[in-house]
Amino acid sequence: MAAKLDSGGGGKYHVEANSEINVTPFVDIMLVLLIIFMVAAPLATVSVEVKLPRAVAEPAQNPPKPIFISIQNDGDVYIGDFRTDVGSMGSELTSQIGRRNPADERIFIRADQQTRYGDFMQVMNALQDNGFYSVALVGEDTSTE
């Protein structure tokens, strides 16, 4: 804070207030920030020049309707809403996907908590035997509770 000393009439200790803003600390801070940015800016740029090719990508098609396989606790297997058995599951899935490659299809498996591991492995083996290698396991989302 600055003070103005007046030599006239107010006595030895009379100090008059100065209403001007002292901008010296503000200028000091701005100069420090300027130096920091002048040093940091060249470090953030890429110095290797590369002529990039143009990207001409066609829009991706919507993924096909997902295929869900459900396994109940008594071992019953469903493709979508239709009951099937493990032996005919591969041919039914192949007819459902049409001409698409089975290895590119993602199959979602929903299984009851009480499903026996052997029933689950029969379904997994049938999928692999028929060329379906991309399998996702579906669980209940409890993050919102």
Side-chain angles (χ1 to χ4, degrees):
M1 182 169 149
K4 182 178 175 186
L5 298 176
D6 189 17
S7 61
K12 185 175 179 182
Y13 298 106
H14 177 71
V15 177
E16 186 177 317
N18 185 359
S19 62
E20 295 178 11
I21 297 174
N22 187 1
V23 294
T24 305
F26 178 73
V27 171
D28 291 343
I29 291 172
M30 294 307 290
L31 287 174
V32 169
L33 288 175
L34 177 67
I35 292 170
I36 289 172
F37 284 117
M38 286 175 59
V39 171
L43 298 176
T45 60
V46 178
S47 61
V48 177
E49 187 175 328
V50 176
K51 191 169 189 173
L52 297 174
R54 292 183 182 224
V56 185
E58 295 189 22
Q61 297 177 356
N62 290 336
K65 184 178 176 185
I67 300 172
F68 286 96
I69 295 178
S70 301
I71 309 170
Q72 290 186 330
N73 62 351
D74 58 357
D76 291 342
V77 178
Y78 292 83
I79 297 176
D81 295 331
F82 303 104
R83 189 169 189 269
T84 186
D85 60 343
V86 177
S88 63
M89 183 177 61
S91 60
E92 290 180 20
L93 285 172
T94 304
S95 66
Q96 199 172 31
I97 65 167
R99 293 185 170 183
R100 297 188 306 259
N101 185 5
D104 295 335
E105 292 297 316
R106 174 164 283 182
I107 307 295
F108 295 92
I109 297 182
R110 301 169 59 236
D112 191 82
Q113 287 182 4
Q114 304 301 320
T115 301
R116 292 182 331 149
Y117 185 70
D119 295 336
F120 175 77
M121 285 308 297
Q122 284 180 346
V123 171
M124 290 293 292
N125 290 334
L127 288 173
Q128 288 182 354
D129 291 344
N130 289 285
F132 294 96
Y133 299 114
S134 181
V135 176
L137 303 179
V138 180
E140 185 175 356
D141 185 15
T142 58
S143 62
T144 58
E145 293 181 2

